[in-house]
Amino acid sequence: MKRKLSEIARMAGGTVPELFGEVEVCGVAVHPKDVQAGYLFVPLRDESGDGHDTAEEAVRRGAAALLWENGHSAVYPGHVPAVRVENTEHALVQLAREYRKELPVRTMVITGSDGKTTTKDLLAAILATTYRIYQGSTGTANPLVDLACSILHMDETTQMAVFELQWSEKGGLGEQSKLLAPEAAIITNVGEAHLKQLGTRREIAYAKMQVVDGLIPGGLLVYNGEEPLLAEALRLADKLDGVLTYRFGSDDTNDLFPIAMLNEPDGTSFKTNLPTGSYFRIPLLGLHNIMNALAAVAVSKYMGVYDLDVVSGLKNMERNYTRLVPMSTRFGAVILNDSQSASPTSMKAAIELLKDLPGYERKIVVLGDMTDLGPDEIRFHKEVGALLTQPDIYKVFAYGTLAKHIASEASKGLPAGRVRWFQEKAELIDAVAAEAKEKDAILVKGSRMMGLDELVEVLTGV
C-alpha cells in the first residue's frame, strides 16, 4: 500500500496537519520489529501492553509516520508526522476496509476445522498459473487486526487474492468476511477445533457458516457435502440472496467427487466427475487431501481457470514439509511430518493414511497432545489410541499429559513393549532416534504447542 497521509486520514477517519498531507507511506506495521523504512506504524493496546510506548523504537527502525490516539498520555516522538484518530485498532480496520474497496482484486476465503492451509496453497497454486495472486492469513489472537494488516500489504496490481480465515473469540468469521467482501468461500469441514470455546460441533458449524456474511451477491459457497451440520447451518444462515452453493465429497451425492484415485509414494492422482475427464495429481498424500483439492478445483473453475492450468497448478504446488510430506532421515527411515496442528479428525485421517502406505516394513507413530478440545478431550485421545492396532501399526510413542490416554488405549491392541509414553521431550527424541531404522515410516503429529517439530529436526537434520 502506497498512500499519502492525507489519504490515510480520509480512509481511517482521522486528521493530519496540512503540512504533512503529502508525506507518503509504503506499508503498515503494528509491531516495531516489523517496521521497514517508509512504513506507517500503528500502535495497539493488548494484553502485552500499549504499543504507543514502543513508538520511539518504530521510528528508529524507519517508520515514516504514526497513527496516534487523540489525548494519549504516552510521549510522542515529535520528529515524525502523525495521523490522529480516536482508536488506533478501529482506524486500522477502517483503513483496510477502504483500501480493499479501492482495489479491483477478486477475493476468495477459506475456513474450516482442518485443511485450511493446504486448500489455500492448492487454490493459490492453480490461480497463479493464470493471474497475479496474493495469499493472506490470520492468527487467532486478534484475527481482524491480522486480516487488516494482510489486506494493507496486498499489492495494487493483484488480480486474485486467497485468504485463510481463523475463528477466534476476538474476531468472528462474519466480521472478517465483511471486511474482505469475497466472491467465493470454502468451508473444508467441521471438526473438533474450538470445542473448548464453542461447546459442540453444531456451534462450530454455525460459526464457520458466518463466512457467508460478507459474500457478494451472486458469490459462490463451496462446502463439504458430507457434513450434515454444514447443510443445517446453511439453511439457517442469514446469507445474501443469489449466493451459489456447490458441494464436494467422496461420492456421487455431491456436486464434485472423485471417480478414480491412486496412492503413490510421493503423491496422489485422481479423476473427478467433471465432463472434461482430466486426471489431476497433487504432491500430497491421502484421501483428505483429495477433498482439499476438490474444493480448490471448484473455486478455480468458477474463477475462469482452464482445465490444463488447473492440472498444472495442482501438479506443481510447492509442498509444505509440515503437511504429511515424506522426509528422509539419517537412519534411512521416512518421516511424515504433521507436527504443526492436530485435531481428532486430522489425527485419525493421518493414521489411516499411514496404514495405507505401501512399501514400508514397519509403521510407527509419534503422537502428542491435541489441545482445546473441551470436556471430552480424554475421550477424543482414547478414540485415537483405539485405532493403533496390529498388524498396521508396529509401535507407538506418545508424548504429553493427554497423549497418555492415547498410549493407554493403544496398549490394548499392541503387544507389551510396543507402546511407550513420555512426559519429557528429550527422552522421547532419544527413544525415537534409537528405534528408527531403514524402511520405517514414522508419523509425527501433535498440536503446535507440543513442539514435535524439534523431533523432526533431530531425525532429518532439516
Side-chain angles (χ1 to χ4, degrees):
M1 180 196 73
K2 290 185 178 180
R3 290 291 186 275
K4 296 177 181 178
L5 291 188
S6 58
E7 297 173 302
I8 296 289
R10 171 184 57 79
M11 296 163 72
T15 60
V16 65
E18 186 175 349
L19 174 65
F20 300 122
E22 294 299 304
V23 173
E24 188 175 77
V25 294
C26 61
V28 173
V30 297
H31 300 291
K33 63 181 177 58
D34 298 325
V35 169
Q36 298 181 31
Y39 269 30
L40 174 71
F41 177 62
V42 183
L44 303 175
R45 307 169 192 257
D46 57 26
E47 294 83 355
S48 64
D50 189 336
H52 289 77
D53 297 328
T54 67
E56 190 69 49
E57 180 185 352
V59 171
R60 286 198 305 270
R61 290 175 177 266
L66 311 173
L67 276 189
W68 198 262
E69 289 187 359
N70 288 324
H72 198 281
S73 60
V75 176
Y76 176 73
H79 51 289
V80 293
V83 174
R84 299 275 180 169
V85 297
E86 291 302 316
N87 181 292
T88 51
E89 182 172 328
H90 294 168
L92 174 69
V93 173
Q94 180 62 20
L95 176 62
R97 179 175 288 109
E98 294 303 312
Y99 181 67
R100 166 67 186 92
K101 290 178 182 178
E102 293 179 359
L103 302 186
V105 61
R106 301 170 71 186
T107 58
M108 290 138 277
V109 297
I110 300 168
T111 191
S113 296
D114 301 292
K116 295 183 295 294
T117 301
T118 299
T119 304
K120 173 179 68 71
D121 292 345
L122 287 163
L123 179 55
I126 297 171
L127 295 172
T129 65
T130 308
Y131 302 105
R132 291 187 297 276
I133 70 159
Y134 176 80
Q135 297 185 62
S137 60
T138 66
T140 56
N142 196 333
L144 204 58
V145 165
D146 293 342
L147 182 58
C149 292
S150 191
I151 291 171
L152 292 168
H153 283 119
M154 185 163 45
D155 190 276
E156 296 188 47
T157 64
T158 302
Q159 295 173 302
M160 298 273 179
V162 184
F163 290 86
E164 176 187 346
L165 303 186
Q166 301 269 9
W167 179 88
S168 168
E169 293 172 296
K170 293 189 176 181
L173 294 173
E175 293 178 85
Q176 297 175 57
S177 181
K178 289 175 183 177
L179 185 56
L180 282 167
E183 189 170 340
I186 294 172
I187 305 178
T188 57
N189 54 28
V190 176
E192 300 81 13
H194 304 303
L195 266 178
K196 186 175 182 179
Q197 296 88 350
L198 292 169
T200 67
R201 290 183 69 251
R202 174 171 278 103
E203 291 302 321
I204 292 172
Y206 291 173
K208 301 302 182 187
M209 194 54 67
Q210 291 174 4
V211 78
V212 305
D213 291 355
L215 272 176
I216 65 172
L220 174 70
L221 171 66
V222 174
Y223 68 98
N224 190 318
E226 297 178 344
E227 177 48 76
L229 290 175
L230 284 178
E232 175 185 316
L234 180 60
R235 288 194 299 271
L236 299 174
D238 185 20
K239 62 181 186 299
L240 294 171
D241 292 337
V243 169
L244 306 174
T245 59
Y246 197 77
R247 298 165 302 156
F248 66 91
S250 61
D251 60 34
D252 60 5
T253 61
N254 298 283
D255 299 303
L256 183 61
F257 56 91
I259 59 175
M261 297 177 287
L262 176 64
N263 288 321
E264 300 166 334
D266 59 349
T268 311
S269 295
F270 63 98
K271 185 179 181 180
T272 74
N273 62 308
L274 290 174
T276 55
S278 298
Y279 276 92
F280 303 101
R281 188 184 190 281
I282 53 176
L284 303 169
L285 301 173
L287 173 62
H288 62 291
N289 279 320
I290 293 181
M291 296 299 105
N292 295 332
L294 290 178
V297 169
V299 171
S300 64
K301 294 297 295 176
Y302 177 77
M303 290 295 176
V305 181
Y306 291 124
D307 290 336
L308 289 178
D309 292 324
V310 175
V311 172
S312 174
L314 290 177
K315 179 181 178 181
N316 296 310
M317 169 204 177
E318 185 174 341
R319 300 193 295 181
N320 183 329
Y321 281 89
T322 64
R323 301 291 174 181
L324 290 173
V325 173
M327 303 174 67
S328 297
T329 70
R330 53 194 175 92
F331 309 101
V334 168
I335 280 187
L336 300 178
N337 177 21
D338 201 6
S339 59
Q340 296 300 297
S341 64
S343 68
T345 298
S346 66
M347 190 80 86
K348 292 172 184 177
I351 291 169
E352 293 304 322
L353 165 64
L354 178 68
K355 289 180 178 181
D356 291 339
L357 279 182
Y360 296 99
E361 292 183 356
R362 304 192 307 174
K363 295 176 180 178
I364 297 169
V365 297
V366 183
L367 304 179
D369 290 357
M370 300 178 287
T371 58
D372 293 327
L373 295 180
D376 289 327
E377 59 186 6
I378 292 176
R379 175 173 66 84
F380 286 127
H381 285 80
K382 286 185 175 181
E383 288 177 359
V384 168
L387 296 175
L388 305 172
T389 59
Q390 292 191 102
D392 301 304
I393 303 300
Y394 176 76
K395 197 162 189 175
V396 174
F397 295 87
Y399 166 60
T401 303
L402 289 170
K404 190 171 187 178
H405 300 288
I406 295 177
S408 64
E409 200 68 25
S411 297
K412 300 175 184 179
L414 290 170
R418 296 275 186 89
V419 179
R420 299 186 63 185
W421 173 76
F422 297 85
Q423 188 70 45
E424 298 298 328
K425 190 185 303 179
E427 295 177 7
L428 168 75
I429 292 174
D430 289 344
V432 176
E435 180 71 36
K437 67 179 185 179
E438 192 174 356
K439 294 187 178 180
D440 284 349
I442 305 174
L443 170 65
V444 180
K445 188 166 178 64
S447 290
R448 183 191 298 267
M449 65 174 292
M450 301 306 295
L452 288 176
D453 53 325
E454 295 176 32
L455 165 66
V456 175
E457 290 174 8
V458 171
L459 296 183
T460 64
V462 177

